Amino acid sequence: MLSSKDAIANLATKDISVAKKFYQETLGLEVMGNMMDQLFTFKSGDSLIYVYQSEFAGTNKATAVSWRVGDELESIVKDLKSKGITFEHYDNMPMPLVGDIYGDDNMKVAWFKDPDGNILSLTNG
């Protein structure tokens, strides 16, 4: 039923103007729409991300959005670090950590947070 339909990620924010700046300027996503400055739609590849005003922003303790970036993982991590992004380092991960990237030759992933504490990730696969 839904296997051929596109999915949309939803991220809550307490401060829509801070979130808009982060997703547009820091991550380089294109704004596709705006609903009364309470919800912004961003384009990422063929996907959409809705960022909306909510008092519950940042309460999810799991990864909310992941980007598959392939062989560009290391360069994107380096670029985001130069823009002030701090990458997360977790205890008890089953994968080795090299710099800010977990994994091995098969699977690599780096986690970071948006200004509200939503957990985002980049992966090579």
Side-chain angles (χ1 to χ4, degrees):
M1 175 170 52
L2 296 178
S3 65
S4 65
K5 306 300 180 198
D6 294 332
I8 299 168
N10 291 277
L11 294 170
T13 182
K14 290 181 181 166
D15 187 330
I16 196 76
S17 62
V18 170
K20 179 181 182 267
K21 182 177 180 179
F22 175 80
Y23 285 95
Q24 185 175 31
E25 295 178 17
T26 304
L27 299 187
L29 302 182
E30 179 183 354
V31 175
M32 298 298 294
N34 171 6
M35 183 184 296
M36 300 182 327
D37 290 333
Q38 295 297 303
L39 180 144
F40 282 90
T41 303
F42 294 93
K43 183 169 177 21
S44 181
D46 291 329
S47 302
L48 296 176
I49 299 173
Y50 291 165
V51 177
Y52 63 97
Q53 189 85 27
S54 172
E55 65 183 281
F56 301 109
T59 59
N60 181 5
K61 300 301 178 197
T63 305
V65 178
S66 297
W67 283 269
R68 292 188 327 182
V69 298
D71 294 339
E72 296 178 70
L73 179 61
E74 288 84 3
S75 65
I76 291 173
V77 166
K78 183 179 178 182
D79 185 45
L80 289 175
K81 281 185 78 159
S82 75
K83 294 179 177 184
I85 296 294
T86 300
F87 285 84
E88 299 296 302
H89 294 181
Y90 299 108
D91 295 331
N92 302 319
M93 287 294 282
M95 305 178 263
L97 175 65
V98 177
D100 291 308
I101 300 172
Y102 286 91
D104 55 27
D105 291 335
N106 296 318
M107 175 71 171
K108 294 181 182 180
V109 62
W111 285 276
F112 62 102
K113 293 181 179 178
D114 74 2
D116 287 287
N118 293 308
I119 301 171
L120 312 174
S121 76
L122 306 169
T123 180
N124 69 329

